[in-house]
Structures are given as structure tokens and as C-alpha cells.
Amino acid sequence: MFDIATIRQQFPILTVEAHPGVPLIYLDSAASSQKPTAVIEAMNAYYRTYNSNVHRGIHALSEAATDAYESARQQIADFINADYAETIFTRNATESINLIAYSWGRQNLQPGDEILITAMEHHANIVPWQIISEMTGATVRHIPFTADGTLDLSNLDTLLTERTKLFAFTAVSNVFGTINPVRQLVDAAHAVGAIAVVDGAQAVPHSPVDVKAWDADFMVFSSHKMGGPTGVGILYGKCALLEAMPPYMGGGDMIRRVSLEKSTWNELPYKFEAGTPAIAEGIGLGAAVTYLSALGMENVHAHEQTITHYAYEAMHTVPGLTIIGPGAAERGGLCAFTLAGAHPHDIAQLLDEDGIAVRAGHHCAMPLHKILGISATARASFYVHTTTTEIDQLVTSLHRVRKILRL
Ligand code: C6P
């Protein structure tokens, strides 16, 4: 049962006022989600009752911390149908992609090789590939998108060739909302001998994800977009690839033996986890995964589909408003839009006066906006606690924006 009233009670921040006397309507979950009590309490319990370093001390607190942290890893692995050793804690999706680029990329790329991305990627899935191509002499190419914000796969054969060594793409666009055909793209990469890197930052929080069903070689996501804390994210990688890769960073925890001359590496997943990790945050992400699993990811997805359909129709009643990207049925839980004659920053500021939090700007997808010929959009994004009443309030407020700006 998806009981929205109960769910809203599980997010303490939803009772906060955005301004004195103005309730908060949080429509910015794609940037960062709010946290349920279960996550806040799990982190609180760690600091209050068993705060200690992991993997090190032979004392009760350290063992409790290690147990909780490693149980969280197992829960997260189960959540995406990965194995424990393939589930690596990082700081966020961005760091996960950088890890692949620096570790796998430097070992495997050379002049003449190609990295394929898409024109709808977040900067986190563009810039690391550009940096690594500079270092290795590889070339970055991209798949364009069509007018409705879906990938233009008509020339895939000429873009994805035996020169392509790595194909990195987002499962869900953070601006268009487009849900990309992940398995089809992974299969296409494998058909030319390339590995597939899936950016799951906007997918894992919102629908069931099974890395084995996708057959992804790597998949990345961030905790803070799925009810978990900031400062922790995940890199999933197939064991054989991870085993063959050199460490990304050196230091404590990632070694088996160190001498002053040479060191050897710890087993997976620790080989890629140098230094004291974000312990409370890892435990918090475990709690977020438990919370979402109890709701049921199919239910989370269905709820967001309902809200997105509702928002797509309701927002279009505002004169001059254009939602970019595909139709409601083909998108995840967000709507980025323009309002003729209004700058997105002004829209966001005026909506904020009504307590409505949306994001405005390029959403770390400057190439996408440049291709559309616009510098920015405003974006409303939804999560498990979003209601149709909140969407109605957004639409009322957008009418007010038009009035104030005399559009
Ligand atoms: N997008 C948004 O408002 P980090 O910053 O590492 O947690 O996530 C990066 C990232 C990678 N891929 C996609 C598809 C994303 O949407 C994001 C984060 C946020 O759209 C913040 S810029």
C-alpha cells in the first residue's frame, strides 16, 4: 500500500515552513532528496551509541560499526542485485565515474580509441571522459538527441564501432527526464566489444534497478538523491573488470601488505576504498535502501508516474509554458520547462515566495541546453512524498508568476 499521508509523516522536513507562515513544497528531489526519519535515526544511533572506526579496532564499538557499515553494503548490493564484492562505496556518482575513468581508462585507452557518450549527459558523465581522453589520446564522441529529447539512435552504427572502447550513458536524463533503453544500449556496446557505463543517478532512486538484468559493466549512483545522506555513493562494477583494474587512490584499508618499497592490494571491494570511509553515511544509505524496499520500488515508480502524468497535463495549462523532453509516459519524475518571456531564475525566485522549491539553471547539463539554444530551464522534480495538491499549488503559483512578470 502506498499511503501518501503516512509517507509524508516520515519526512520531518515537510512540516517546516519555507518562509514564516508559508509551508514548504519541495519539488527539487532530482537535485537532492529529503530524508526520512529512519535514515536520520540510523545515523543518529551510530553517533550516539557506537561511533568508532571500521575494519580496525578489536573492540566492541568498532565491531558494531563494522557490522553496521558492512551490513549496509550488503543491503545496497541486494537493492541493485549486485554481489557484495562488486559494490564499492565512493563519495557520489561523480566520484564513481572518475574512478572508472582514472583506473579503467588509464589502463585501457590509447590513441585511436573512442569513448562514446550522449549529448544529454550530466557534466559528471562528460568531463571525466574529456580529462581521460586528454591523458590517453582517446577521442570522445557523442550520440545526439531528437527534438523530443530522446536519443537519436539512427546513426548508432557509425558512432559505436570497434574503435569504441567504452560507452557511457545515463539511464534517465536529469533534464529531459528521458528513460533510456539501457539493456539495448548495453547490448549494442557489447556487440562491438566496448564496455558499458550506466549513470544511474536519476534511475536508482526512482524505479527497480537490476544491474545483472541490464548487464551493465559499471553502474553509478548517489545516496543523497534517494533519501540517504550526502557524502556517499556507489560504484557497481563486474568483478572481473574490478579485479583487473589498478587502485584509484592509495592509503589505509585498500592494502594487503605495505613495505617501504612496494605494496599489494586488498581484495574487492576494499581495493578501491582508501582511508576512513563515510561511516555514518554508509549506514544512512543502508537505512534509505531499507526504507525504499519497504515501500517497494515498483510502487515508488508507479506513484511517480501518476504524479508526472498529472504534472505534465496541469503545467501545460499555463500559457507559454513548454516542458522539454518526451511525453509523460516516457519520462521519469521530473519536468524541466521554460515560460515564454520569463527567465528561469526569476521563475524559481517567485515560486520560492510561495514556498515552492524548484531548481533553475543548466542543471549541470550545459551541452544539452546549448543544443536547444537556451541557457537555462526551471525544473520541478518529484519523489515519494509529492502530492497532486502540491502540483496544483505549483500551477497556481506559475499563473501568479505570469501576472507579476506581466506576460
Ligand atoms: N544531478 C541535478 O540537479 P552527484 O553530484 O555526484 O551526486 O551526481 C551527479 C549526477 C550524475 N548524473 C546525473 C544524471 C545527475 O542528475 C547527477 C546530479 C543533480 O540534476 C545535481 S547537479
Side-chain angles (χ1 to χ4, degrees):
M1 262 301 289
F2 208 81
D3 178 358
I4 190 78
T6 306
I7 288 170
R8 289 183 67 81
Q9 283 169 10
Q10 292 159 349
F11 287 82
I13 209 165
L14 297 180
T15 59
V16 162
E17 291 177 339
H19 306 290
V22 183
L24 171 70
I25 297 174
Y26 190 75
L27 299 178
D28 197 18
S29 293
S32 200
S33 65
Q34 296 304 343
K35 320 304 175 200
T37 305
V39 170
I40 299 165
E41 293 299 321
M43 296 176 72
N44 205 354
Y46 163 73
Y47 281 125
R48 281 180 174 275
T49 62
Y50 60 101
N51 173 53
S52 186
N53 211 330
V54 290
H55 307 146
R56 286 164 170 82
I58 313 208
H59 58 75
L61 288 195
S62 179
E63 280 176 13
T66 304
D67 277 356
Y69 185 70
E70 293 303 333
S71 306
R73 188 197 305 273
Q74 185 63 61
Q75 286 159 344
I76 298 157
D78 293 345
F79 189 66
I80 55 168
N81 194 25
D83 294 336
Y84 179 87
E86 303 168 327
T87 307
I88 293 155
F89 280 119
T90 61
R91 277 194 306 143
N92 46 39
T94 302
E95 187 176 79
S96 301
I97 296 172
N98 277 277
L99 193 163
I100 305 165
Y102 280 86
S103 178
W104 189 92
R106 280 199 296 195
Q107 190 180 49
N108 289 285
L109 295 171
Q110 54 190 23
D113 289 345
E114 291 179 1
I115 298 165
L116 184 62
I117 60 173
T118 86
M120 65 170 73
E121 298 307 313
H122 185 279
H123 297 165
N125 207 19
I126 301 174
V127 183
W129 306 121
Q130 292 172 340
I131 293 173
I132 230 62
S133 71
E134 292 258 323
M135 285 181 181
T136 60
T139 308
V140 181
R141 302 185 76 189
H142 68 266
I143 299 178
F145 52 76
T146 60
D148 73 348
T150 55
L151 287 178
D152 179 357
L153 299 176
S154 56
N155 287 322
L156 190 62
D157 287 356
T158 56
L159 290 167
L160 187 62
T161 68
E162 65 284 354
R163 284 189 303 278
T164 314
K165 295 292 173 279
L166 180 147
F167 180 17
F169 58 89
T170 191
V172 176
S173 159
N174 68 321
V175 182
F176 288 138
T178 319
I179 300 170
N180 285 323
V182 175
R183 179 66 203 235
Q184 182 193 335
L185 298 178
V186 170
D187 286 348
H190 290 167
V192 296
I195 63 159
V197 176
V198 181
D199 177 354
Q202 299 290 352
V204 175
H206 303 288
S207 54
V209 164
D210 179 333
V211 286
K212 294 208 168 73
W214 275 353
D215 200 18
D217 296 294
F218 294 104
M219 199 278 288
V220 307
F221 60 99
S222 287
S223 153
H224 70 94
K225 295 188 198 290
M226 53 193 291
T230 53
V232 67
I234 293 292
L235 166 65
Y236 158 79
K238 281 183 181 165
C239 231
L241 287 167
L242 293 171
E243 291 283 9
M245 283 158 54
Y248 172 47
M249 291 196 283
D253 240 20
M254 52 73 69
I255 46 80
R256 191 182 302 281
R257 294 216 165 276
V258 178
S259 74
L260 290 175
E261 290 74 35
K262 193 175 163 46
S263 305
T264 54
W265 316 137
N266 203 342
E267 62 194 1
L268 292 174
Y270 314 110
K271 181 170 93 173
F272 293 103
E273 296 179 354
T276 299
I279 303 167
E281 288 76 7
I283 292 167
L285 176 55
V289 157
T290 305
Y291 175 78
L292 289 173
S293 301
L295 289 182
M297 289 310 290
E298 292 288 358
N299 299 330
V300 169
H301 182 61
H303 173 71
E304 286 185 26
Q305 286 285 104
T306 306
I307 295 292
T308 304
H309 274 85
Y310 189 88
Y312 195 82
E313 295 300 320
M315 289 167 72
H316 273 131
T317 63
V318 179
L321 188 145
T322 306
I323 296 175
I324 62 169
E330 287 86 40
R331 64 168 60 225
L334 60 89
C335 292
F337 62 95
T338 56
L339 187 57
H343 193 282
H345 286 136
D346 293 335
I347 299 171
Q349 203 164 348
L350 290 167
L351 292 180
D352 176 63
E353 289 177 3
D354 288 338
I356 301 174
V358 298
R359 186 171 174 190
H362 52 62
H363 316 297
C364 300
M366 281 169 87
L368 179 156
H369 283 84
K370 189 166 180 227
I371 291 164
L372 293 179
I374 50 179
S375 60
T377 48
R379 184 187 67 188
S381 55
F382 322 124
Y383 210 22
V384 292
H385 46 70
T386 310
T387 63
T388 51
T389 310
E390 289 181 313
I391 303 299
D392 290 341
Q393 285 160 319
L394 168 67
V395 171
T396 304
S397 194
L398 284 168
H399 282 294
R400 183 177 153 267
V401 169
R402 289 194 72 247
K403 211 177 265 171
I404 291 171
L405 296 178
R406 298 174 202 273
L407 301 178

